[in-house]
Amino acid sequence: MTSASPPSSRSSSPHKVCHSQTQTDVLKPLLGGSSSAGSGTLRKRRRILTKDGRSNMRIEHVSGRNALYMRDLWTTFLEMPWRYKFFLFTATFAGTWFVFGVVWYLLALVHGDLLEFDPPSNHTPCVMQVQTLTAAFLFSLESQTTIGYGFRCITEECPAAIILLILQLVITMLMEIFITGTFLAKIARPKKRSGTVKFSQHAVVSTHEGQPCLMIRVANMRKSLLLGCQVTGKLLQTSLTKEGETVRMDQRNVPFQVDTSSDSPFLILPLTFYHIINDSSPLRAWAAKGGGWTDPEMADFELLVIMSATIEPTSATCQVRTSYLPDEILWGYEFPPVVSLSKSGKYVADFSFFDKVAKTTMTPIFKPSSSQHEYQSNGGGLVSEGTDPEKIRLEQSYREQRGEDRGRVRDGPLSVRISNV
């Protein structure tokens, strides 16, 4: 891993940061947003993941990329667009008919069955009624599709014709099985089932059980259930490691839950998943400013939400994805209810309210604890669990100074407290 320090405030030119995850300019925002001069507004950000779950990354400069794709023909054919697949399907059948038609024509040419040879009346051809290239093509088509009109057939005169017919049927049957299998697999992909799972267009932040919570809404729009649903989040943002390395698109876990549990929610009706914003949340710095997405430093992130589940009819696993930019996370809003009870006694989910939000009566406030360091006993001392890089460096320098004074390196943790001021 190659680490680099953040750019100095004295230099106005951007510096390159090259490390294990990304290579980019330090001064360039992660998602392409920056404050315009004099206006204080943000430009439109670019997404890593689109709202419908497609990746927005482009792969470049991969040596031998085509060869890698050809080694995995099955996946290549499955990911092929339908227009290319239909063209390949038609070209494969028409091509094999013509190629084997030429082979049948050459066989008739070698055996002297063509009209230009003027065969005698007692001449027995390899294939009856195959005396031109057109007739050879039609015989190849009839043999491969098992049509058999009745007046073109092979005879016992040429054993080579019998072997050729067997090879044609075996080879073309394997090709048909492969192409037909890719058609069926592409139609039955779990990706199509994930299209009937809906995420709310916006995420909201409101108070739940006395704590500020980030909330999203998820709904299954089919009556067939999704089993073992798991909703997780990934926060992509710029972070600084203990070694002073700037990491672009660093992934932080954002756990979601329903009520008091995150295990296998029953997604028979639209549910609201929430993430508790506390001192351990990766959104704490953003929440401390009241969700200030207009701040370029705080708003340089993207929240990816991923739901994995098992499809009940097919037992296949599907994954549904979406993303939220900072301006799509509404602070001080909540989702109105969508489930009601009809006069006939049935529960009704009204999706006209699914993407709507309402202003909360009480604005959520995130108050970080007075001390961001928790201490625990360890061998009679205290261990600081703070994550501030500046404080960590101070602790490390203090530990090294104490080690030099005593003439040895301390193996155990050092009991030291750094002021929060």
Side-chain angles (χ1 to χ4, degrees):
M1 180 186 300
T2 304
S3 62
S5 301
S8 175
S9 59
R10 299 179 181 177
S11 176
S12 59
S13 60
H15 293 259
K16 280 288 185 180
V17 175
C18 183
H19 44 78
S20 60
Q21 295 192 28
T22 58
Q23 177 176 333
T24 182
D25 293 335
V26 175
L27 301 183
K28 185 178 181 181
L30 171 63
L31 303 176
S34 62
S35 58
S36 58
S39 61
T41 59
L42 292 178
R43 294 183 299 184
K44 186 177 180 181
R45 292 173 175 83
R46 293 182 291 270
R47 295 180 179 274
I48 305 299
L49 196 70
T50 61
K51 292 294 287 184
D52 56 356
R54 292 177 298 170
S55 174
N56 203 25
M57 300 294 293
R58 184 174 62 186
I59 302 175
E60 294 182 346
H61 308 299
V62 180
S63 59
R65 181 178 180 180
N66 294 333
L68 294 176
Y69 284 5
M70 292 303 295
R71 293 175 186 173
D72 187 13
L73 276 178
W74 181 260
T75 305
T76 302
F77 274 72
L78 286 181
E79 295 178 349
M80 188 179 296
W82 278 110
R83 58 184 181 275
Y84 297 146
K85 186 176 286 291
F86 279 117
F87 173 78
L88 184 63
F89 180 82
T90 304
T92 299
F93 280 95
T96 54
W97 295 337
F98 180 76
V99 169
F100 280 100
V102 172
V103 176
W104 285 112
Y105 178 79
L106 295 177
L107 182 64
L109 176 65
V110 172
H111 194 258
D113 299 337
L114 303 181
L115 291 176
E116 53 264 28
F117 293 131
D118 192 16
S121 59
N122 60 349
H123 177 76
T124 304
C126 290
V127 182
M128 302 294 295
Q129 302 297 326
V130 175
Q131 297 176 332
T132 60
L133 181 59
T134 303
F137 174 78
L138 292 176
F139 176 73
S140 174
L141 186 152
E142 295 168 13
S143 300
Q144 188 169 329
T145 57
T146 65
I147 295 177
Y149 289 115
F151 57 90
R152 290 189 184 93
C153 59
I154 63 174
T155 64
E156 301 176 356
E157 180 69 18
C158 300
I162 301 175
I163 297 175
L164 178 60
L165 179 62
I166 294 174
L167 290 176
Q168 179 180 1
L169 296 180
V170 171
I171 293 174
T172 55
M173 185 176 296
L174 293 176
M175 296 177 63
E176 291 175 11
I177 291 173
F178 181 83
I179 295 177
T180 305
T182 57
F183 265 83
L184 295 177
K186 189 176 181 65
I187 294 174
R189 283 187 304 173
K191 182 180 179 181
K192 302 302 179 182
R193 178 62 177 90
S194 63
T196 57
V197 177
K198 184 176 178 62
F199 284 97
S200 58
Q201 288 294 321
H202 292 86
V204 298
V205 178
S206 61
T207 303
H208 178 76
E209 298 292 341
Q211 293 179 307
C213 295
L214 171 70
M215 301 183 183
I216 61 171
R217 181 175 274 176
V218 185
N220 175 23
M221 294 183 290
R222 281 187 178 272
K223 290 187 176 181
S224 59
L225 298 180
L226 292 172
L227 310 178
C229 298
Q230 296 289 337
V231 177
T232 58
K234 295 290 183 181
L235 187 71
L236 301 184
Q237 63 179 355
T238 303
S239 65
L240 184 66
T241 64
K242 296 179 180 179
E243 295 77 17
E245 177 187 4
T246 301
V247 180
R248 293 289 186 178
M249 286 186 276
D250 185 26
Q251 298 188 17
R252 303 293 179 90
N253 289 327
V254 181
F256 284 90
Q257 62 183 14
V258 177
D259 297 331
T260 58
S261 175
S262 60
D263 296 334
S264 302
F266 193 51
L267 198 61
I268 195 174
L269 61 144
L271 294 179
T272 299
F273 291 80
Y274 60 89
H275 163 71
I276 301 176
I277 302 177
N278 49 28
D279 290 336
S280 62
S281 172
L283 292 168
R284 59 187 180 274
W286 173 78
K289 292 193 175 184
W293 62 269
T294 55
D295 188 346
E297 295 181 359
M298 294 291 102
D300 190 22
F301 68 86
E302 180 176 356
L303 176 63
L304 311 183
V305 180
I306 305 166
M307 190 189 80
S308 302
T310 302
I311 304 174
E312 185 182 30
T314 61
S315 298
T317 303
C318 71
Q319 187 180 88
V320 195
R321 300 173 295 270
T322 190
S323 75
Y324 296 96
L325 296 179
D327 54 351
E328 295 172 338
I329 303 176
L330 306 179
W331 188 276
Y333 286 80
E334 62 183 358
F335 293 116
V338 296
V339 179
S340 60
L341 189 63
S342 65
K343 295 181 180 180
S344 60
K346 292 185 178 180
Y347 289 97
V348 178
D350 189 355
F351 278 87
S352 62
F353 294 94
F354 186 82
D355 289 321
K356 292 184 178 181
V357 295
K359 188 73 174 179
T360 59
T361 57
M362 182 177 60
T363 303
I365 300 176
F366 172 68
K367 296 181 180 180
S369 59
S370 58
S371 176
Q372 296 182 0
H373 298 273
E374 296 180 0
Y375 299 91
Q376 61 181 10
S377 59
N378 188 347
L382 296 175
V383 180
S384 173
E385 295 181 348
T387 58
D388 192 342
E390 183 64 24
K391 296 178 181 179
I392 292 175
R393 284 193 288 268
L394 290 174
E395 288 183 10
Q396 185 176 2
S397 62
Y398 182 82
R399 186 180 296 109
E400 292 175 355
Q401 183 179 359
R402 290 288 299 272
E404 291 175 358
D405 295 339
R406 297 186 181 183
R408 59 186 180 89
V409 178
R410 294 177 59 94
D411 296 329
L414 180 65
S415 175
V416 60
R417 179 168 181 170
I418 305 298
S419 174
N420 288 318
V421 179

